[in-house]
């Protein structure tokens, strides 16, 4: 029979690395070498320039492509994100998702006045330099 390996090599700790305590692992044919190398996708999130557009709520996003999906990406870092007229940059690693088809983005409603006017999201595949645009232009 064929032998497969599931390599993680990342923290499973809320206080280390990206704070995730769950990982999606993909089958590999060799110990330590992935069949499909990971891609470090870049996410740019633009909040609209509108009164009260920003939010302090916790924002998550899922990305769906023709070759796979990544769910529940926490969009957070040490900065004050999702403020009026701001562009916030995040990233995630995944096997090649193929042509990006859709995203699902939202927040948990935490904080006072948690409504958020999302302008758009741009996701870049650095391997191909292809940018995928997801327009919103509405309150979430």
């Amino acid at each position: 029979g064929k032998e497969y390996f599931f390599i993680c090599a990342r923290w499973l700790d809320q206080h280390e690395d990206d704070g995730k305590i769950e990982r999606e692992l993909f089958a590999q044919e060799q110990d330590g070498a992935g069949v499909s190398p990971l891609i470090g996708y870049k996410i740019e999130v633009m909040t609209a320039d509108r009164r009260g557009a920003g939010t302090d709520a916790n924002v998550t996003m899922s990305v769906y492509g023709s070759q796979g999906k990544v769910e529940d990406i926490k969009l957070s870092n040490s900065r004050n994100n999702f403020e009026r007229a701001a562009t916030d940059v995040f990233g995630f690693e995944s096997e090649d998702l193929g042509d990006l088809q859709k995203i699902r983005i939202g927040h948990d409603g935490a904080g006072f006045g948690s409504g958020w006017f999302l302008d758009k999201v741009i996701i870049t595949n650095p391997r191909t330099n292809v940018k995928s645009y997801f327009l919103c232009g509405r309150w979430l």
Side-chain angles (χ1 to χ4, degrees):
K2 194 157 186 146
E3 189 173 35
Y4 292 96
F5 298 87
F6 296 86
I7 311 296
C8 183
R10 299 287 297 268
W11 282 96
L12 297 174
D13 188 318
Q14 292 177 333
H15 305 290
E16 297 290 340
D17 195 15
D18 60 3
K20 290 186 178 181
I21 57 173
E22 180 180 307
R23 301 266 179 212
E24 183 174 0
L25 304 179
F26 298 94
Q28 301 178 30
E29 294 177 353
Q30 298 178 15
D31 188 10
V35 174
S36 297
L38 296 179
I39 296 173
Y41 287 90
K42 177 182 172 185
I43 305 168
E44 296 172 88
V45 179
M46 287 85 166
T47 299
D49 186 7
R50 182 175 285 226
R51 185 172 181 261
T55 188
D56 290 326
N58 300 301
V59 176
T60 58
M61 183 176 80
S62 298
V63 180
Y64 302 88
S66 61
Q67 297 178 15
K69 65 183 177 183
V70 177
E71 297 182 302
D72 299 321
I73 302 164
K74 292 182 177 110
L75 301 182
S76 67
N77 55 32
S78 60
R79 298 184 57 228
N80 185 14
N81 298 304
F82 316 116
E83 295 301 314
R84 177 181 179 173
T87 298
D88 299 293
V89 179
F90 307 95
F92 70 96
E93 287 186 333
S94 171
E95 286 193 353
D96 190 352
L97 298 174
D99 294 330
L100 299 187
Q101 300 169 329
K102 70 176 183 176
I103 64 171
R104 185 177 63 234
I105 189 166
H107 61 81
D108 62 1
F112 178 76
S114 62
W116 177 37
F117 200 104
L118 174 61
D119 184 24
K120 64 185 165 197
V121 176
I122 303 170
I123 302 177
T124 305
N125 178 332
R127 187 170 295 152
T128 62
N129 251 356
V130 171
K131 292 184 180 224
S132 300
Y133 294 82
F134 301 94
L135 307 179
C136 183
R138 61 185 294 183
W139 289 98
L140 302 179

